[in-house]
């Protein structure tokens, strides 16, 4: 039984706006010398409760501090699990296996992502700072015991622009 729910590819205008915020934050992360990833968590009523940029780049970064994990963990400290069940995590790139696990364990009910893991791999190649998994987040969520709605990829070209030239 699959627990990752597929939905219509069409996004609401608010979804597009939130996804663009994540992409803009990823560009800001790049400008700050970080890996170009970012995520935000938005409650069902549209309130943004958490934003995070990637902080995994050496020497001061922690390799586990991906934007999605950080945003999800912060959101889980702020609101109850039943509130997070109606929340959406918007991210500039598809969550990796670690981040998908964090999303699952915090109880966030919906994910909207821009850049697919496959497209990211095309951009990063074999760069040792981003050894991507060939494991879509939908496959991670499908192994869980609760459903997580997944939308993506969307706005891939916009999200890819923050990576072009970074990984070379």
């Amino acid at each position: 039984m699959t627990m990752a729910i597929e939905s219509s590819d069409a996004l609401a205008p608010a979804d597009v706006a939130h996804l663009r915020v994540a992409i803009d934050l990823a560009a800001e992360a790049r400008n700050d010398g970080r890996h170009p990833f970012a995520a935000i968590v938005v409650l069902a009523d549209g309130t943004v409760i958490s934003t995070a940029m990637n902080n995994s780049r050496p020497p001061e970064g922690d390799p586990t501090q991906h934007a999605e994990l950080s945003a999800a963990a912060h959101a889980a400290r702020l609101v109850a699990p039943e509130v997070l069940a109606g929340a959406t995590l918007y991210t500039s790139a598809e969550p990796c296996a670690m981040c998908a696990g964090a999303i699952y364990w915090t109880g966030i009910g919906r994910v909207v992502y821009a850049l697919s893991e496959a497209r990211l791999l095309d951009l990063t190649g074999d760069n040792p700072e981003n050894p991507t998994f060939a494991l879509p987040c939908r496959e991670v969520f499908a192994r869980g015991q609760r459903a997580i709605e997944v939308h993506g990829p969307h706005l891939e070209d916009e999200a890819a622009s923050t990576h072009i030239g970074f990984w070379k």
Side-chain angles (χ1 to χ4, degrees):
M1 168 190 263
T2 182
M3 296 306 286
I5 298 173
E6 292 297 326
S7 293
S8 152
D9 280 3
L11 291 180
D15 289 324
V16 173
H18 290 306
L19 196 53
R20 284 198 167 116
V21 168
I23 293 168
D24 289 345
L25 285 171
E28 185 178 326
R30 178 185 175 150
N31 292 339
D32 289 346
R34 299 177 183 190
H35 292 153
F37 301 97
I40 66 173
V41 178
V42 180
L43 299 181
D45 68 2
T47 304
V48 176
I49 62 164
S50 181
T51 64
M53 293 182 282
N54 190 291
N55 192 28
S56 65
R57 192 164 196 195
E60 66 279 342
D62 172 344
T64 66
Q65 292 308 298
H66 290 190
E68 300 89 348
L69 185 148
S70 296
H74 182 250
R77 290 190 296 271
L78 298 176
V79 298
E82 57 271 14
V83 176
L84 282 180
T88 300
L89 183 137
Y90 296 89
T91 177
S92 61
E94 182 173 2
C96 71
M98 175 181 71
C99 292
I103 293 162
Y104 176 82
W105 286 110
T106 58
I108 293 169
R110 184 170 179 256
V111 172
V112 178
Y113 68 89
L115 189 64
S116 69
E117 187 74 13
R119 180 95 180 264
L120 177 61
L121 179 58
D122 288 341
L123 294 166
T124 63
D126 63 355
N127 188 299
E129 288 189 24
N130 194 48
T132 62
F133 279 93
L135 181 60
C137 68
R138 286 172 173 86
E139 290 185 32
V140 176
F141 297 143
R143 303 292 193 259
Q145 296 181 22
R146 66 176 186 79
I148 297 175
E149 185 178 323
V150 180
H151 296 266
H154 293 284
L155 308 177
E156 257 193 309
D157 291 339
E158 288 181 41
S161 69
T162 64
H163 294 269
I164 293 171
F166 181 84
W167 300 101
K168 305 300 178 219

